[in-house]
Amino acid sequence: MKENIIKFVNRTSELKALNNEYKKSGARFAVIYGRRRVGKTALISEFIKDKKSLYFYATSGADMADSLGKALANVLGLAYADKLKFDNFSDVFELLNTAKLDTKLIIAIDEFQNLALNDKNFASEFAKIYDTIIAKHNVFLIICGSVLSMLHSLALSYDAPLYGRRNLNLHIKSLGFMHIKEFLPSIDKATQMLVYSSFGTVPKYLQSYEQDKDFWQNITDNILNKSSYLYAEGQFLLNTEIYEPASYFAILEAISKGNSKIGSIASALGVNSTYLSRYLARLIELDLIRKEVPITETNPLKSKLGRYKISDNYLAFWFYYVYKNYSFLEIENTQAVIDEIRANFNDKFVSFCFEDAVREMIVNDPSLIGFKPQKIGRWWDNKSEIDLIAFDEQNICFIECKWQNNVNEQSVLNALQAKSAHLINGKKPSYKLFSKEWYLN
């Protein structure tokens, strides 16, 4: 059966940051943002559960000021709170001038961007409210949103009306591989890697996984099934953020197929590379893709070896297997898509996700390579590549990751030594192989 209880996992550093701000005197202001379903609301709920607080979920309805005002009046203990009427947000926050706050009050407004949908002047007016009212009281204001483009225009960009007022900025991202077992304690280690490579690590996506079914049945029922929300989640994410998504869909599909260099993406789409620059920059801003450069680059911003990768494993999986196969899935020919996934999933996805998982394992347990790395990541040039290189001031470790059993370890290590010889640069070298067999044992 599906797990209906919302789990709160990790977010230790985020909670610490929020609590540190909460303890400070006077008004505080935090912006929490991140893509849908990543766990922002769960974080807020965990933070406020033992504190005097108001949590308010904003919609685009016309009566939001009245709803927020009644809720705030109730939290402040004002008589006849439900009888009051609020026509604007200035009147709502004027309530703070009538209250004595011995304990800091948290006011958390979730999906804050919805308040601005019907009023282009809302952000400027809210900035004035913050300066003239909220900032004078013992209040911790938290605004939270999942439409990153709107949060940027309201609070995060340099020219945003609320820019410069926040004390804390939290970008909530997907969890790490290591947390899958906390959501899905019944699945074995091999299945954890398969889940990581398909469902990813967004909490809501993981909670859609049914532990009483095998992996392939979960893929069929919870991603390829037209009635499952993950079937259309990729489209929903982009349509929420981008008004004209066709070009962005094409770029993301090209990247999902292994076209990681700007030249290869352009070639796949039949366009000039310069045409792609603004689209790629936008996708990075929205946390849908990231640009990687070889880990040894001393000036990453000027590197000509950049590669683009879809940030979320689920979204990469969705573009490669779901989006391009809509013609099959819409007529419920699911088996054709399952056959394709079974044929190349390990090579196209799991092997690369295994590299990311190994990197995370090393960061969390440096004893795996014998020292705590200052940097760890992929390396490549125009002739060869190495799965991972980890190094500090004295040590450097060259790492190959093989999602295979019965690997000829000595042959792999010999090849690794040969292609890394020019990268040692006076450090003490070591060489490691992490295989599927190692992972499962």
Side-chain angles (χ1 to χ4, degrees):
M1 295 179 62
K2 287 191 177 183
E3 183 71 67
N4 292 318
I5 299 173
I6 297 175
K7 295 184 179 182
F8 180 77
V9 173
N10 194 30
R11 305 304 187 196
T12 305
S13 61
E14 292 90 343
L15 275 176
K16 182 179 179 180
L18 286 167
N19 279 305
N20 286 342
E21 287 300 320
Y22 176 79
K23 293 173 184 176
K24 295 176 182 178
S25 61
R28 313 304 295 174
F29 181 13
V31 178
I32 298 176
Y33 65 104
R35 53 177 287 191
R36 280 166 42 88
R37 309 188 197 275
V38 80
K40 303 180 298 300
T41 301
L43 171 64
I44 293 172
S45 299
E46 183 72 14
F47 170 60
I48 68 175
K49 68 181 182 182
D50 56 352
K51 302 176 179 70
K52 184 178 181 67
S53 60
L54 165 61
Y55 171 83
F56 184 78
Y57 186 92
T59 71
S60 57
D63 60 349
M64 283 296 98
D66 190 52
S67 298
L68 178 59
K70 285 180 168 61
L72 180 57
N74 186 60
V75 169
L76 294 174
L78 301 183
Y80 308 109
D82 59 330
K83 304 295 184 184
L84 299 173
K85 178 67 177 176
F86 301 87
D87 296 320
N88 56 68
F89 289 99
S90 292
D91 290 345
V92 171
F93 289 98
E94 279 287 349
L95 291 173
L96 296 174
N97 291 330
T98 68
K100 184 178 180 181
L101 296 176
D102 296 324
T103 301
K104 190 180 293 292
L105 170 65
I106 302 168
I107 301 176
I109 305 176
D110 204 349
E111 298 300 351
F112 179 80
Q113 75 280 342
N114 287 335
L115 300 179
L117 288 176
N118 299 321
D119 183 358
K120 65 180 181 179
N121 297 317
F122 169 78
S124 297
E125 292 172 0
F126 196 85
K128 183 178 179 181
I129 291 170
Y130 184 83
D131 293 340
T132 59
I133 303 175
I134 301 173
K136 298 178 180 179
H137 295 279
N138 193 22
V139 169
F140 188 1
L141 175 67
I142 299 173
I143 65 172
C144 177
S146 57
V147 182
L148 302 191
S149 53
M150 289 195 68
L151 258 292
H152 275 280
S153 65
L154 293 171
L156 299 173
S157 298
Y158 182 75
D159 57 352
L162 290 169
Y163 184 84
R165 290 167 176 82
R166 66 188 188 274
N167 306 106
L168 180 66
N169 195 59
L170 292 178
H171 186 178
I172 309 303
K173 299 192 176 186
S174 302
L175 294 166
F177 167 74
M178 63 184 288
H179 297 294
I180 291 177
K181 62 186 178 184
E182 297 173 62
F183 280 94
L184 305 172
S186 299
I187 65 174
D188 59 31
K189 291 180 71 175
T191 306
Q192 286 175 25
M193 194 64 65
L194 299 181
V195 169
Y196 179 58
S197 308
S198 51
F199 284 78
T201 54
V202 169
K204 180 69 174 177
Y205 301 171
L206 289 173
Q207 285 192 231
S208 72
Y209 191 93
E210 299 173 85
Q211 297 180 75
D212 58 342
K213 297 180 180 179
D214 71 14
F215 172 75
W216 296 107
Q217 195 62 50
N218 267 282
I219 291 291
T220 301
D221 293 348
N222 296 314
I223 295 183
L224 304 184
N225 182 353
K226 288 193 298 182
S227 64
S228 67
Y229 80 88
L230 285 176
Y231 175 76
E233 179 74 354
Q235 280 197 331
F236 187 88
L237 281 172
L238 263 72
N239 288 332
T240 301
E241 294 284 4
I242 299 166
Y243 293 113
E244 297 178 2
S247 295
Y248 294 94
F249 271 90
I251 291 168
L252 288 166
E253 185 180 13
I255 294 174
S256 77
K257 293 179 178 178
N259 299 293
S260 59
K261 301 175 184 177
I262 190 169
S264 60
I265 300 170
S267 179
L269 300 180
V271 298
N272 193 289
S273 295
T274 56
Y275 167 82
L276 294 176
S277 298
R278 68 185 181 95
Y279 291 100
L280 293 170
R282 180 72 167 145
L283 289 169
I284 291 172
E285 180 184 62
L286 296 175
D287 198 27
L288 293 172
I289 66 172
R290 64 177 184 267
K291 183 180 180 181
E292 294 184 339
V293 299
I295 192 62
T296 56
E297 293 283 77
T298 56
N299 195 340
L301 293 177
K302 293 186 177 181
S303 176
K304 296 181 179 180
L305 294 171
R307 293 180 176 179
Y308 295 90
K309 182 177 181 180
I310 296 177
S311 299
D312 176 67
N313 290 344
Y314 156 77
L315 196 59
F317 181 92
W318 183 87
F319 267 102
Y320 191 84
Y321 291 116
V322 180
Y323 180 62
K324 76 171 184 181
N325 284 314
Y326 265 168
S327 57
F328 288 118
L329 296 172
E330 284 295 308
I331 61 172
E332 300 185 4
N333 186 0
T334 306
Q335 191 58 50
V337 183
I338 283 289
D339 290 344
E340 180 186 357
I341 299 172
R342 284 183 178 273
N344 59 27
F345 180 52
N346 278 327
D347 292 335
K348 296 287 186 180
F349 283 86
V350 185
S351 59
F352 296 104
C353 291
F354 182 52
E355 294 176 15
D356 292 330
V358 169
R359 173 166 50 186
E360 185 180 328
M361 293 176 204
I362 293 170
V363 169
N364 286 285
D365 182 10
S367 67
L368 291 172
I369 60 171
F371 65 92
K372 185 176 181 179
Q374 293 175 344
K375 288 186 176 183
I376 180 171
R378 296 181 177 89
W379 175 90
W380 62 91
D381 62 13
N382 293 323
K383 297 180 180 178
S384 62
E385 57 185 82
I386 297 173
D387 291 343
L388 295 171
I389 298 179
F391 58 91
D392 62 12
E393 294 293 336
Q394 289 82 35
N395 304 283
I396 188 164
C397 184
F398 302 99
I399 300 160
E400 286 290 318
C401 305
K402 299 290 185 184
W403 186 248
Q404 304 168 17
N405 290 320
N406 303 315
V407 178
N408 186 328
E409 181 174 0
Q410 193 56 56
S411 176
V412 170
L413 293 179
N414 288 343
L416 185 58
Q417 289 184 42
K419 61 184 174 181
S420 66
H422 66 292
L423 297 168
I424 294 174
N425 293 327
K427 298 181 187 293
K428 179 182 178 182
S430 57
Y431 308 89
K432 293 285 184 178
L433 167 66
F434 294 94
S435 65
K436 179 180 180 181
E437 191 173 21
W438 164 84
Y439 167 72
L440 294 178
N441 289 332

